[in-house]
Amino acid sequence: NAGVTQTPKFRVLKTGQSMTLLCAQDMNHEYMYWYRQDPGMGLRLIHYSVGEGTTAKGEVPDGYNVSRLKKQNFLLGLESAAPSQTSVYFCASSSAGAPRGNQPQHFGDGTRLSIL
Amino acid sequence: KQEVTQIPAALSVPEGENLVLNCSFTDSAIYNLQWFRQDPGKGLTSLLLIQSSQREQTSGRLNASLDKSSGRSTLYIAASQPGDSATYLCAVREVQGAQKLVFGQGTRLTINP
């Protein structure tokens, strides 16, 4: 009964370092999303994927890259971390099934990332 | 561009009171609206999902309504308890493009014993 699993849960990086956040879902969902949550800004979409091998930009994609080589996994990469990327990152997934109105987004527990 | 607004930003009430949280959105082209709960330092817990064709959903002491034509939703909490203290977020799922969720900034609720 895992649902959406994010690793790691916490990480501290130095400016300029790189890292990859992993999101895994076991619900066979087509759609996957990466959001960031910042005080006063709410949750904003970084990148998303509508299926294996496809990705697209969201509202705030700069400084991030993503890959979806397997349907169940969605990776978020920071090539050169900056203090502005200090945030809480949430991954979500949902089904493309019909009716779309009945399909909730399921969220992971988040990754708290600090860039010094 | 879809915008979601939650009022008030913070609310403090004594235990036992019934209360209403408000959510408004600017574009009625949505698949659904979800209400989430978020405890400090934690993830998002989905409370209720209302499809665009529905008017309300109920779960225990929670009742959520949706008026798509006016772009409004309310979350009613009956007989509030200290354990209800959390931030409540509403989000609408867009029909276009990524079909992403667009979130409000939340209402921070405190229930005083």
Side-chain angles (χ1 to χ4, degrees), chain B:
Chain B
K1 177 184 176 184
Q2 178 76 266
E3 293 183 359
V4 179
T5 303
Q6 291 186 247
I7 295 173
L11 181 64
S12 180
V13 300
E15 180 178 1
E17 282 201 2
N18 304 325
L19 58 98
V20 174
L21 307 181
N22 296 295
C23 173
S24 62
F25 50 95
T26 56
D27 187 345
S28 61
I30 63 171
Y31 277 127
N32 58 46
L33 184 146
Q34 272 184 271
W35 281 95
F36 295 89
R37 169 186 173 136
Q38 186 175 30
D39 294 292
K42 303 294 185 182
L44 280 68
T45 300
S46 182
L47 298 173
L48 289 164
L49 179 148
I50 311 176
Q51 298 181 53
S52 62
S53 58
Q54 297 176 325
R55 298 286 292 181
E56 65 178 339
Q57 282 288 327
T58 297
S59 176
R61 294 183 293 108
L62 305 179
N63 176 276
S65 68
L66 175 64
D67 184 342
K68 197 174 71 165
S69 62
S70 67
R72 294 180 180 180
S73 177
T74 61
L75 179 67
Y76 175 82
I77 303 177
S80 59
Q81 303 171 357
D84 294 330
S85 297
T87 295
Y88 290 80
L89 298 164
C90 75
V92 296
R93 186 174 185 185
E94 293 187 319
V95 170
Q96 303 297 328
Q99 299 176 34
K100 67 179 186 293
L101 289 181
V102 180
F103 284 83
Q105 294 197 13
T107 294
R108 188 172 68 254
L109 177 65
T110 302
I111 308 298
N112 301 304

Side-chain angles (χ1 to χ4, degrees), chain A residues 27-109:
Chain A
M27 296 171 282
N28 201 35
H29 285 168
E30 293 79 9
Y31 292 174
M32 296 188 74
Y33 306 84
W34 276 106
Y35 296 88
R36 60 178 288 174
Q37 184 178 32
D38 302 291
M41 302 293 290
L43 277 87
R44 294 177 292 168
L45 183 67
I46 305 171
H47 285 281
Y48 66 99
S49 169
V50 298
E52 181 177 325
T54 71
T55 63
K57 295 180 179 180
E59 300 173 67
V60 288
D62 294 342
Y64 305 95
N65 56 76
V66 287
S67 65
R68 193 157 177 211
L69 300 179
K70 295 182 179 180
K71 186 177 184 179
Q72 64 267 33
N73 295 337
F74 195 28
L75 279 64
L76 178 70
L78 286 73
E79 290 187 348
S80 179
S84 62
Q85 295 177 304
T86 293
S87 188
V88 181
Y89 292 86
F90 287 101
C91 176
S93 71
S94 65
S95 170
R100 297 288 173 86
N102 199 29
Q103 306 299 335
Q105 285 199 7
H106 300 263
F107 281 78
D109 289 337

